[in-house]
Amino acid sequence: MALSTTHVATGSILGTGLGRKGAEVRWGVAGRMVVAWVITLPAAAAIGATTWMIGAGLNSLTNTQFVGELVVFAILVVFCLWMWRHSQKDAIDASNVTNSWDGEAVAAAEESLTADEAPMDDSAKNHQEALPQKAGA
């Protein structure tokens, strides 16, 4: 059962890969998706319970109704800023989103070429030159 739009989107992509002839499914990626789906609900529950305990505990210690909420809010803002900074280390955009896949494809093609010892004929070279180039290449 899908719990979020992410579950729906990734499930539909996986289903498309399974349903098309000749399509390839990367089962390692699919396995990581399943693990993420399984831990989503318990992790959300644990985080929610922890933040509630911090907020309620601070409110009862200070005999107020807002100190706990402010502290929890500050913790979440700091965590969000840390997560955003961490995401900027290796920014992903349209020019590099498939780099790891392209590297696998290039390595497989080179391995195949080396194994076959077959040079590219003129028609294959012309076809390769006619292919659109990646942005920034």
Side-chain angles (χ1 to χ4, degrees):
M1 179 171 119
L3 298 175
S4 69
T5 54
T6 304
H7 291 137
V8 172
T10 54
S12 64
I13 291 167
L14 180 64
T16 301
L18 287 171
R20 286 187 7 209
K21 282 188 177 181
E24 180 182 327
V25 174
R26 290 182 171 80
W27 290 108
V29 174
R32 290 193 315 251
M33 287 170 33
V34 169
V35 169
W37 290 349
V38 168
I39 66 171
T40 297
L41 195 57
I47 291 169
T50 302
T51 56
W52 180 84
M53 285 190 296
I54 291 170
L58 287 173
N59 282 345
S60 67
L61 282 175
T62 60
N63 291 325
T64 63
Q65 293 184 347
F66 62 88
V67 171
E69 285 80 359
L70 289 175
V71 170
V72 168
F73 180 72
I75 290 170
L76 294 176
V77 167
V78 168
F79 179 71
C80 287
L81 289 172
W82 172 82
M83 196 166 32
W84 176 77
R85 284 198 46 154
H86 184 69
S87 73
Q88 299 304 305
K89 289 180 183 176
D90 295 318
I92 297 173
D93 58 24
S95 69
N96 64 2
V97 71
T98 60
N99 279 354
S100 66
W101 296 346
D102 292 344
E104 292 171 6
V106 169
E110 289 173 350
E111 183 178 306
S112 174
L113 182 60
T114 304
D116 296 340
E117 298 288 329
M120 196 181 299
D121 65 2
D122 288 336
S123 65
K125 286 180 184 175
N126 291 339
H127 176 72
Q128 185 178 21
E129 290 170 0
L131 292 175
Q133 299 297 316
K134 283 186 176 181

